[in-house]
mmCIF file of all heavy atoms in Angstrom:
data_model
loop_
_atom_site.group_PDB
_atom_site.id
_atom_site.type_symbol
_atom_site.label_atom_id
_atom_site.label_comp_id
_atom_site.label_asym_id
_atom_site.label_seq_id
_atom_site.Cartn_x
_atom_site.Cartn_y
_atom_site.Cartn_z
ATOM 1 N N SER A 32 6.729 19.851 8.628
ATOM 2 C CA SER A 32 7.430 21.085 8.388
ATOM 3 C C SER A 32 8.644 21.291 9.269
ATOM 4 O O SER A 32 9.480 22.153 9.029
ATOM 5 C CB SER A 32 6.489 22.281 8.548
ATOM 6 O OG SER A 32 5.896 22.231 9.848
ATOM 7 N N ASN A 33 8.766 20.433 10.297
ATOM 8 C CA ASN A 33 9.887 20.519 11.263
ATOM 9 C C ASN A 33 10.959 19.495 10.855
ATOM 10 O O ASN A 33 10.785 18.294 10.941
ATOM 11 C CB ASN A 33 9.392 20.240 12.676
ATOM 12 C CG ASN A 33 10.440 20.496 13.735
ATOM 13 O OD1 ASN A 33 11.636 20.236 13.518
ATOM 14 N ND2 ASN A 33 10.013 21.006 14.880
ATOM 15 N N LYS A 34 12.113 20.052 10.448
ATOM 16 C CA LYS A 34 13.220 19.211 9.956
ATOM 17 C C LYS A 34 13.714 18.249 11.045
ATOM 18 O O LYS A 34 14.032 17.099 10.775
ATOM 19 C CB LYS A 34 14.382 20.097 9.508
ATOM 20 C CG LYS A 34 15.525 19.333 8.850
ATOM 21 C CD LYS A 34 16.613 20.268 8.394
ATOM 22 C CE LYS A 34 17.773 19.485 7.774
ATOM 23 N NZ LYS A 34 18.864 20.373 7.386
ATOM 24 N N LYS A 35 13.723 18.725 12.315
ATOM 25 C CA LYS A 35 14.214 17.937 13.417
ATOM 26 C C LYS A 35 13.333 16.691 13.610
ATOM 27 O O LYS A 35 13.849 15.617 13.913
ATOM 28 C CB LYS A 35 14.254 18.776 14.708
ATOM 29 C CG LYS A 35 15.059 18.194 15.789
ATOM 30 C CD LYS A 35 15.163 19.166 16.978
ATOM 31 C CE LYS A 35 16.022 18.537 18.098
ATOM 32 N NZ LYS A 35 16.108 19.473 19.256
ATOM 33 N N ASN A 36 12.019 16.856 13.479
ATOM 34 C CA ASN A 36 11.119 15.728 13.620
ATOM 35 C C ASN A 36 11.360 14.644 12.586
ATOM 36 O O ASN A 36 11.227 13.433 12.842
ATOM 37 C CB ASN A 36 9.651 16.203 13.501
ATOM 38 C CG ASN A 36 9.153 16.909 14.734
ATOM 39 O OD1 ASN A 36 9.860 16.951 15.739
ATOM 40 N ND2 ASN A 36 7.970 17.458 14.662
ATOM 41 N N LEU A 37 11.798 15.054 11.404
ATOM 42 C CA LEU A 37 11.992 14.127 10.287
ATOM 43 C C LEU A 37 13.366 13.420 10.330
ATOM 44 O O LEU A 37 13.492 12.309 9.847
ATOM 45 C CB LEU A 37 11.866 14.808 8.940
ATOM 46 C CG LEU A 37 10.450 15.338 8.585
ATOM 47 C CD1 LEU A 37 10.511 16.149 7.318
ATOM 48 C CD2 LEU A 37 9.488 14.154 8.402
ATOM 49 N N GLU A 38 14.325 14.067 10.937
ATOM 50 C CA GLU A 38 15.709 13.543 10.923
ATOM 51 C C GLU A 38 15.768 12.154 11.549
ATOM 52 O O GLU A 38 16.388 11.233 10.985
ATOM 53 C CB GLU A 38 16.664 14.494 11.666
ATOM 54 C CG GLU A 38 17.078 15.686 10.803
ATOM 55 C CD GLU A 38 17.951 16.652 11.571
ATOM 56 O OE1 GLU A 38 18.120 16.495 12.805
ATOM 57 O OE2 GLU A 38 18.452 17.626 10.936
ATOM 58 N N TYR A 39 15.145 11.993 12.725
ATOM 59 C CA TYR A 39 15.192 10.705 13.421
ATOM 60 C C TYR A 39 14.498 9.629 12.584
ATOM 61 O O TYR A 39 14.998 8.505 12.426
ATOM 62 C CB TYR A 39 14.585 10.806 14.784
ATOM 63 C CG TYR A 39 14.780 9.561 15.653
ATOM 64 C CD1 TYR A 39 15.987 9.383 16.348
ATOM 65 C CD2 TYR A 39 13.799 8.595 15.716
ATOM 66 C CE1 TYR A 39 16.146 8.234 17.101
ATOM 67 C CE2 TYR A 39 13.989 7.453 16.501
ATOM 68 C CZ TYR A 39 15.158 7.274 17.166
ATOM 69 O OH TYR A 39 15.350 6.150 17.933
ATOM 70 N N ALA A 40 13.318 9.977 12.053
ATOM 71 C CA ALA A 40 12.562 9.029 11.230
ATOM 72 C C ALA A 40 13.337 8.644 9.986
ATOM 73 O O ALA A 40 13.379 7.461 9.596
ATOM 74 C CB ALA A 40 11.226 9.635 10.850
ATOM 75 N N ASP A 41 14.037 9.614 9.384
ATOM 76 C CA ASP A 41 14.788 9.360 8.135
ATOM 77 C C ASP A 41 15.951 8.411 8.370
ATOM 78 O O ASP A 41 16.254 7.553 7.511
ATOM 79 C CB ASP A 41 15.301 10.731 7.647
ATOM 80 C CG ASP A 41 15.531 10.700 6.155
ATOM 81 O OD1 ASP A 41 15.000 9.802 5.464
ATOM 82 O OD2 ASP A 41 16.276 11.572 5.630
ATOM 83 N N THR A 42 16.589 8.494 9.526
ATOM 84 C CA THR A 42 17.758 7.677 9.803
ATOM 85 C C THR A 42 17.408 6.305 10.432
ATOM 86 O O THR A 42 18.216 5.390 10.370
ATOM 87 C CB THR A 42 18.753 8.413 10.727
ATOM 88 O OG1 THR A 42 18.053 8.807 11.914
ATOM 89 C CG2 THR A 42 19.352 9.635 10.020
ATOM 90 N N HIS A 43 16.220 6.184 11.016
ATOM 91 C CA HIS A 43 15.865 4.950 11.746
ATOM 92 C C HIS A 43 14.827 4.116 11.044
ATOM 93 O O HIS A 43 14.668 2.925 11.393
ATOM 94 C CB HIS A 43 15.412 5.279 13.165
ATOM 95 C CG HIS A 43 16.502 5.706 14.074
ATOM 96 N ND1 HIS A 43 17.062 6.985 14.037
ATOM 97 C CD2 HIS A 43 17.145 5.086 15.075
ATOM 98 C CE1 HIS A 43 17.998 7.095 14.949
ATOM 99 N NE2 HIS A 43 18.084 5.936 15.599
ATOM 100 N N LEU A 44 14.086 4.690 10.118
ATOM 101 C CA LEU A 44 12.987 3.930 9.465
ATOM 102 C C LEU A 44 13.217 3.871 7.938
ATOM 103 O O LEU A 44 13.758 4.768 7.358
ATOM 104 C CB LEU A 44 11.633 4.592 9.744
ATOM 105 C CG LEU A 44 11.237 4.827 11.206
ATOM 106 C CD1 LEU A 44 9.912 5.550 11.276
ATOM 107 C CD2 LEU A 44 11.185 3.531 11.982
ATOM 108 N N ASP A 45 12.726 2.774 7.368
ATOM 109 C CA ASP A 45 12.839 2.583 5.905
ATOM 110 C C ASP A 45 11.612 3.273 5.235
ATOM 111 O O ASP A 45 10.709 2.573 4.735
ATOM 112 C CB ASP A 45 12.888 1.095 5.607
ATOM 113 C CG ASP A 45 13.079 0.854 4.112
ATOM 114 O OD1 ASP A 45 13.508 1.768 3.413
ATOM 115 O OD2 ASP A 45 12.765 -0.263 3.663
ATOM 116 N N ILE A 46 11.607 4.621 5.271
ATOM 117 C CA ILE A 46 10.499 5.370 4.703
ATOM 118 C C ILE A 46 11.065 6.588 3.967
ATOM 119 O O ILE A 46 12.203 6.942 4.124
ATOM 120 C CB ILE A 46 9.502 5.853 5.791
ATOM 121 C CG1 ILE A 46 10.207 6.797 6.754
ATOM 122 C CG2 ILE A 46 8.914 4.665 6.518
ATOM 123 C CD1 ILE A 46 9.277 7.441 7.743
ATOM 124 N N GLN A 47 10.193 7.233 3.163
ATOM 125 C CA GLN A 47 10.558 8.487 2.523
ATOM 126 C C GLN A 47 10.057 9.629 3.373
ATOM 127 O O GLN A 47 8.930 9.580 3.929
ATOM 128 C CB GLN A 47 9.931 8.578 1.139
ATOM 129 C CG GLN A 47 10.271 9.869 0.380
ATOM 130 C CD GLN A 47 9.453 10.012 -0.909
ATOM 131 O OE1 GLN A 47 8.688 9.132 -1.265
ATOM 132 N NE2 GLN A 47 9.611 11.114 -1.584
ATOM 133 N N THR A 48 10.836 10.687 3.537
ATOM 134 C CA THR A 48 10.415 11.874 4.301
ATOM 135 C C THR A 48 10.442 13.099 3.396
ATOM 136 O O THR A 48 11.291 13.246 2.550
ATOM 137 C CB THR A 48 11.313 12.111 5.517
ATOM 138 O OG1 THR A 48 12.652 12.298 5.096
ATOM 139 C CG2 THR A 48 11.242 10.954 6.493
ATOM 140 N N ILE A 49 9.465 14.003 3.611
ATOM 141 C CA ILE A 49 9.413 15.262 2.897
ATOM 142 C C ILE A 49 9.215 16.390 3.889
ATOM 143 O O ILE A 49 8.267 16.383 4.673
ATOM 144 C CB ILE A 49 8.260 15.257 1.862
ATOM 145 C CG1 ILE A 49 8.468 14.186 0.800
ATOM 146 C CG2 ILE A 49 8.076 16.648 1.225
ATOM 147 C CD1 ILE A 49 7.328 14.082 -0.189
ATOM 148 N N LYS A 50 10.145 17.378 3.835
ATOM 149 C CA LYS A 50 10.023 18.553 4.676
ATOM 150 C C LYS A 50 9.126 19.576 3.952
ATOM 151 O O LYS A 50 9.403 19.957 2.842
ATOM 152 C CB LYS A 50 11.380 19.178 4.990
ATOM 153 C CG LYS A 50 11.277 20.383 5.896
ATOM 154 C CD LYS A 50 12.628 21.055 6.080
ATOM 155 C CE LYS A 50 12.528 22.351 6.888
ATOM 156 N NZ LYS A 50 11.637 23.346 6.280
ATOM 157 N N GLY A 51 8.030 19.977 4.625
ATOM 158 C CA GLY A 51 7.146 20.954 4.001
ATOM 159 C C GLY A 51 5.793 20.986 4.684
ATOM 160 O O GLY A 51 5.500 20.199 5.587
ATOM 161 N N ASP A 52 4.999 21.913 4.277
ATOM 162 C CA ASP A 52 3.619 22.078 4.801
ATOM 163 C C ASP A 52 2.715 21.070 4.098
ATOM 164 O O ASP A 52 2.553 21.103 2.869
ATOM 165 C CB ASP A 52 3.184 23.532 4.539
ATOM 166 C CG ASP A 52 1.801 23.818 5.081
ATOM 167 O OD1 ASP A 52 1.143 22.874 5.567
ATOM 168 O OD2 ASP A 52 1.363 24.984 4.996
#
Side-chain angles (χ1 to χ4, degrees):
S32 56
N33 187 324
K34 187 180 178 182
K35 196 173 180 181
N36 284 354
L37 292 174
E38 280 176 354
Y39 189 82
D41 205 18
T42 54
H43 287 76
L44 304 178
D45 183 19
I46 63 173
Q47 180 188 357
T48 59
I49 296 177
K50 181 186 176 299
D52 181 356

